[in-house]
Amino acid sequence: MLHAARTTLLTAGLLRMISIALEQLQAVRAASERAEFAGLSATANRLEAETDRLERDIEGQCLQAFAEDQRSGTPEFYLMVFRSLTHLERVGDYAFGVASDLERLAPRTRSATLQDVLPITVHLTEMLELLAYAITERDLEAARRVQRMDFEDVDALYEQMLRASLTRLRERPEDHQIALAANRMARNLERLGDHVGHVAARLERYLLTEEDRQRMRQAN
């Protein structure tokens, strides 16, 4: 397969994995807004299964590319994709965990403790959309903004949620189970953001390397 065609195919695979993660987060948000959680974990699990299939397929394509395209002198893109796969697969795992907890605790999800988790999903959605743009357009600044959003927005909301949860737990110790579940969901979402940030960091390194190669070609 020609390098350009394979690059296009792998880019499409990464974008589909990101799209699936967006679908999972959107399902969580929609269920929370409607307070209708039946089937949420099944939906998230179905999407996660597609992510797992894509991971295996793209991994195979990358390995084939390593074997066939060494003469092209551009293995860096394949390496970036290959090393991003685990992070995107983990994104799906964490989204599924949040969906499962929400459905299991549906009778009590109107508590303020659980509602504190949901604003994180808004920022994670924006991060994933920006990451998709950065990959499509090979946009270095967009990749850097994704990482800043993780550090500045998601992590801050996570810490805010933990403080609020501890305060409510002191006031109503009988709600300790719901508080622990909310903390687990917040932690899963925070880790989801970490993995999105890791993919953006790998993209940044690839784009910087690509810029260096272009400067060397121009100099020669």
Side-chain angles (χ1 to χ4, degrees):
M1 182 182 293
L2 294 176
H3 171 69
R6 178 168 277 136
T7 298
T8 299
L9 186 63
L10 291 175
T11 298
L14 280 186
L15 293 175
R16 178 53 189 155
M17 291 182 79
I18 292 171
S19 174
I20 292 170
L22 282 167
E23 288 182 54
Q24 288 176 307
L25 288 178
Q26 288 164 357
V28 167
R29 291 172 59 188
S32 300
E33 290 169 358
R34 298 193 308 266
E36 297 175 2
F37 301 95
L40 178 59
S41 59
T43 297
N45 188 47
R46 174 179 55 78
L47 291 168
E48 185 191 8
E50 184 179 351
T51 294
D52 292 342
R53 288 192 298 271
L54 274 170
E55 181 192 21
R56 292 191 296 270
D57 182 48
I58 297 171
E59 184 178 61
Q61 293 174 34
C62 286
L63 292 174
Q64 186 175 2
F66 291 141
E68 296 178 357
D69 264 15
Q70 293 302 315
R71 289 179 299 175
S72 70
T74 55
E76 290 84 1
F77 176 77
Y78 304 139
L79 192 60
M80 183 274 293
V81 172
F82 187 77
R83 291 179 172 173
S84 297
L85 291 176
T86 299
H87 294 298
L88 291 175
E89 190 274 333
R90 293 299 291 155
V91 165
D93 288 344
Y94 285 126
F96 171 67
V98 171
S100 297
D101 277 337
L102 274 175
E103 184 171 2
R104 182 171 57 84
L105 298 168
R108 304 175 68 184
T109 48
R110 275 313 176 193
S111 76
T113 303
L114 282 179
Q115 292 302 309
D116 282 343
V117 174
L118 300 179
I120 304 178
T121 65
V122 176
H123 290 280
L124 291 172
T125 297
E126 293 173 358
M127 285 176 63
L128 285 164
E129 290 172 345
L130 187 58
L131 177 61
Y133 172 82
I135 292 172
T136 301
E137 300 297 329
R138 303 294 194 264
D139 192 305
L140 179 61
E141 181 52 35
R144 288 171 171 166
R145 283 193 351 245
V146 171
Q147 295 171 75
R148 289 197 300 271
M149 289 176 71
D150 180 36
F151 296 137
E152 296 173 4
D153 298 326
V154 173
D155 287 354
L157 280 170
Y158 173 61
E159 293 296 330
Q160 177 183 317
M161 186 271 164
L162 290 183
R163 288 194 298 270
S165 181
L166 288 173
T167 298
R168 293 193 186 98
L169 192 56
R170 294 191 192 100
E171 295 172 351
R172 300 189 61 179
E174 67 275 13
D175 281 346
H176 66 280
Q177 290 185 341
I178 202 76
L180 289 173
N183 287 346
R184 183 170 59 248
M185 284 188 283
R187 185 171 62 250
N188 284 343
L189 289 168
E190 188 269 337
R191 289 176 178 172
L192 191 161
D194 286 344
H195 285 286
V196 175
H198 291 327
V199 176
R202 293 196 179 280
L203 177 62
E204 178 187 11
R205 287 194 290 273
Y206 163 71
L207 293 174
L208 287 172
T209 303
E210 186 69 15
E211 284 187 357
D212 290 340
R213 285 198 299 270
Q214 290 176 0
R215 281 195 293 268
M216 289 177 62
R217 286 195 291 267
Q218 291 172 356
N220 292 331

